[in-house]
Amino acid sequence: MGSSPGRGRSKRAQLLRAALPCLVLTDLASAPATAQSLTPDLFNPNRGGFASPDTLPTRRTAGVPQAPSDALPALPDPNDPRRRQQPTATSRIGQNPANQVPTYGLRAANGASSSGYDSLNRKRQQPKLYPGQPKPKRPVGPGSPVPPATPERTLGPPRIAPPPSETAHRVPVPPALAGNVPGQPLRRRLRLDEDPFGAVGDYAGSFLIKGGLELSAGYDSNPARLNKPVGSPAYVVAPDLLVVSDWERHALVADLRGSFSGYTNNMPATINGFASPAPVEVDRPDFTGHVDGRLDVTRDFKLTSQLRLRLATDNPGSPNVQAGLQKYPVYATYGTTVGFDQTFNRFQVAAGATVDRTAYTDSKLTDGTTSSNDDRNFNQYGGVGRFSYDLKPGLKPFVEIQGDTRVHDQPADRNGFFRDSNGGYAKVGSSFEFSRILTGEISVGYSARNYVDPRLSQLAGFLTTGSLIWNTSGLTTVKFFTDTQIAETTIPGSSGVLVRTYAAEVDHDFRRWLTAVGKFTYGTYDYQGQNRNDKTYSLESNLIYKLNRNVWIKGTLRHDILDSNQAGASSSGTVVMLGVRLQN
């Protein structure tokens, strides 16, 4: 069966297209060969290797040494079996300009990160810390300080192995409690308890209340401080109470301390046929209390007030004690102060008005009668002002001025002298606080008092007032106190008594629960107008054993000396006491 005319023409065209190339190849094969001859330059891998080196545009210029021909690397062997196993690397010929170090996709020292060696000597990036995370310690390396050598043990045999307590199993602590969680803020350190055996107290609303009771018993070789000692067993009951407010603003503090000294033996009523200068019953109460309040009107302006009470008797051996007494008359001094405290930047002004009253009970004599002491009662009205300036942190100098008027219930005393008077003092000093090692206040000044009675001379003298606390170490504390007072007297012709007291105390903790206290007191009593001067010395030592915060055991040994320039007025006595203190 024949094909169609169109299909036949298509087959003839395909045959013609295949024959034409064959004819062309046949014609080329019959012509003479004129191809380039095979030379070693054809295998030169350098760019432009088919051209002469002298005609290359990238030829080396004068002064640049030509590398030897044998420095060129040898071509790899195509028949090397290792070449078949490794993939052919991509050619980098022509990708970099001349005299430039080629880059291979990774920068220099790229793998150093933040801890490896960096050949470019770049500054390392500091690691970012979480808030509150502790800063890591610098690793030990060249330039690090030499760690301290372990001290050699000079006592006992050498330590071969640590004791079991150092390697014993310990209960694991949660990281949140131990403070090891990254990003956790540092735990606030607890404040060091300065008195680990002190009273803790109880809270009543917003008030902290601390109370205590001290009971002691012992022996006093001369409780009446007579020239010829007469001893007696003694006991002391001493309660105390401290109430402190816990408010954000304002303040209220009550400090009440009292004691009662009792003696089982009575003193003689007469000595050498005369009435004894000391009472038969020498029991003595003593109380000191004050309540301080502060009202914060503004940040710089405050209203202050104080209520105070002092309950006591005349000191044993004092010339103010009447002869032939059955027991000591008790006096009470109570009063108040109302004032303000204003701060102007670093300058501070404090002032207040004072009102006080001193009243004595009637004296009971050995014959059963009583004697009035109304002539010793008086009221005192005065004012005090203090100006201070914060010179720098821990140093605050001040100037203090005080004035008062004393008005007695009776114009004349039992000896006919008019003892109403006006007086005051002025002193300068400074309060300071040096790194909590030395704190306190000290001042010096001058005091004077003028009496209505012209027969009584002016009572004046140099005064010192101070209170210093020196923390020599964590276990030892040294305290120093000094004070000057102008006291009334009943001695005929004497204006008054200028009393100066100096005391030094050393507290040392052998252990936190065992404390030793040593105290030395020196005082002078200047009875102006009578040429009488008394000096007192007191040396006291205490040993306190603290069982816990609530129970203390205390031992006391004290020796008192009264040295007077009046015949028969000197005395001495020794006191030994052992007691217990209960507190909360």
Side-chain angles (χ1 to χ4, degrees):
M1 183 174 181
S3 61
S4 62
R7 189 173 182 178
R9 284 193 299 268
S10 177
K11 289 182 178 180
R12 287 193 298 271
Q14 292 177 359
L15 181 61
L16 180 60
R17 285 195 298 268
L20 286 176
C22 294
L23 294 176
V24 172
L25 292 176
T26 304
D27 183 57
L28 292 174
S30 60
T34 59
Q36 183 180 4
S37 60
L38 186 63
T39 61
D41 294 337
L42 296 178
F43 300 98
N44 189 354
N46 295 329
R47 186 177 180 180
F50 292 96
S52 175
D54 298 335
T55 60
L56 290 175
T58 58
R59 67 182 182 278
R60 294 182 181 273
T61 58
V64 178
Q66 178 70 31
S69 59
D70 57 357
L72 296 175
L75 296 176
D77 187 4
N79 298 325
D80 190 354
R82 292 176 299 179
R83 184 177 177 84
R84 303 191 190 98
Q85 299 176 0
Q86 298 180 356
T88 305
T90 305
S91 176
R92 294 183 295 272
I93 299 176
Q95 297 182 4
N96 295 292
N99 300 330
Q100 182 176 350
V101 179
T103 58
Y104 303 103
L106 295 177
R107 295 176 298 173
N110 184 64
S113 184
S114 60
S115 59
Y117 173 72
D118 191 349
S119 59
L120 299 181
N121 196 23
R122 293 173 297 188
K123 185 177 181 180
R124 299 189 184 280
Q125 183 180 3
Q126 299 297 331
K128 295 183 179 180
L129 305 178
Y130 293 98
Q133 184 177 355
K135 193 174 182 180
K137 295 183 179 180
R138 187 176 182 180
V140 179
S144 301
V146 180
T150 304
E152 298 181 358
R153 297 172 59 90
T154 58
L155 299 178
R159 185 174 177 180
I160 300 177
S165 60
E166 294 185 6
T167 58
H169 175 70
R170 298 178 181 177
V171 179
V173 180
L177 183 61
N180 298 331
V181 178
Q184 178 184 6
L186 296 178
R187 291 176 60 89
R188 189 181 222 179
R189 300 187 64 179
L190 297 178
R191 187 177 63 178
L192 180 64
D193 192 352
E194 298 179 357
D195 189 3
F197 289 91
V200 178
D202 296 317
Y203 274 94
S206 59
F207 289 92
L208 175 63
I209 302 176
K210 294 183 180 182
L213 176 62
E214 187 172 332
L215 306 173
S216 57
Y219 186 82
D220 191 339
S221 65
N222 190 6
R225 297 303 183 260
L226 298 173
N227 185 256
K228 294 182 179 180
V230 178
S232 172
Y235 63 91
V236 177
V237 179
D240 60 81
L241 178 65
L242 178 65
V243 180
V244 181
S245 64
D246 188 11
W247 303 333
E248 293 183 1
R249 296 184 58 195
H250 321 304
L252 183 64
V253 178
D255 189 359
L256 312 176
R257 302 177 184 274
S259 67
F260 180 82
S261 302
Y263 302 90
T264 59
N265 295 345
N266 292 334
M267 300 296 106
T270 60
I271 297 178
N272 299 328
F274 297 95
S276 174
V280 176
E281 300 175 9
V282 290
D283 299 342
R284 292 180 290 114
D286 194 324
F287 176 83
T288 301
H290 59 90
V291 179
D292 301 329
R294 190 191 75 240
L295 182 62
D296 299 336
V297 180
T298 62
R299 186 189 66 175
D300 299 328
F301 182 74
K302 305 175 181 62
L303 296 178
T304 59
S305 63
Q306 183 187 73
L307 297 175
R308 52 186 172 270
L309 172 62
R310 175 83 167 102
L311 193 69
T313 64
D314 290 325
N315 294 325
S318 172
N320 294 329
V321 179
Q322 295 175 252
L325 289 175
Q326 180 65 29
K327 60 181 180 181
Y328 288 110
V330 179
Y331 73 87
T333 299
Y334 50 91
T336 182
T337 299
V338 179
F340 67 92
D341 191 339
Q342 176 68 51
T343 301
F344 305 95
N345 199 356
R346 293 189 178 185
F347 185 69
Q348 184 177 5
V349 179
T354 62
V355 178
D356 294 277
R357 175 169 175 79
T358 301
Y360 284 80
T361 61
D362 293 340
S363 300
K364 294 183 179 181
L365 305 179
T366 55
D367 58 4
T369 61
T370 60
S371 175
S372 176
N373 290 313
D374 291 343
D375 60 336
R376 303 185 67 181
N377 301 339
F378 65 92
N379 297 327
Q380 178 175 305
Y381 311 94
V384 59
R386 183 166 180 162
F387 309 91
S388 57
Y389 183 79
D390 280 326
L391 188 61
K392 62 179 181 179
L395 186 61
K396 190 175 183 179
F398 65 87
V399 176
E400 184 174 326
I401 302 175
Q402 185 266 351
D404 62 76
T405 298
R406 293 179 181 178
V407 180
H408 288 73
D409 292 355
Q410 296 181 1
D413 65 357
R414 65 194 66 182
N415 298 309
F417 289 90
F418 299 92
R419 294 195 173 271
D420 291 348
S421 61
N422 300 316
Y425 65 81
K427 60 183 180 180
V428 295
S430 176
S431 59
F432 44 83
E433 178 180 353
F434 300 127
S435 303
R436 303 298 300 173
I437 296 178
L438 182 63
T439 60
E441 176 181 306
I442 190 169
S443 61
V444 296
Y446 187 81
S447 178
R449 178 165 295 278
N450 298 315
Y451 292 85
V452 175
D453 197 324
R455 294 172 296 176
L456 300 177
S457 61
Q458 183 188 49
L459 178 60
F462 179 76
L463 63 87
T464 58
T465 305
S467 175
L468 303 179
I469 300 178
W470 178 27
N471 296 312
T472 58
S473 67
L475 301 177
T476 305
T477 303
V478 180
K479 302 176 183 179
F480 177 76
F481 306 95
T482 178
D483 190 21
T484 303
Q485 297 288 338
I486 293 181
E488 297 286 326
T489 183
T490 60
I491 299 178
S494 177
S495 304
V497 188
L498 188 62
V499 183
R500 296 187 179 93
T501 306
Y502 309 91
E505 179 180 325
V506 179
D507 300 354
H508 180 72
D509 295 336
F510 296 103
R511 294 292 185 270
R512 289 299 183 186
W513 43 266
L514 184 62
T515 303
V517 181
K519 185 176 182 180
F520 175 75
T521 305
Y522 171 74
T524 60
Y525 295 80
D526 185 9
Y527 296 86
Q528 293 191 3
Q530 285 298 312
N531 195 26
R532 174 169 178 167
N533 295 311
D534 293 350
K535 298 179 180 179
T536 60
Y537 307 87
S538 178
L539 186 61
E540 180 180 351
S541 62
N542 299 277
L543 186 63
I544 303 174
Y545 178 71
K546 304 174 183 178
L547 297 177
N548 48 49
R549 287 186 179 269
N550 304 114
V551 181
W552 293 4
I553 297 177
K554 180 180 179 181
T556 302
L557 175 62
R558 187 179 76 247
H559 184 68
D560 300 331
I561 299 175
L562 173 60
D563 183 14
S564 176
N565 60 355
Q566 298 292 324
S570 300
S571 64
S572 64
T574 303
V575 181
V576 179
M577 304 292 289
L578 179 62
V580 60
R581 175 177 174 80
L582 308 176
Q583 62 184 14
N584 185 25

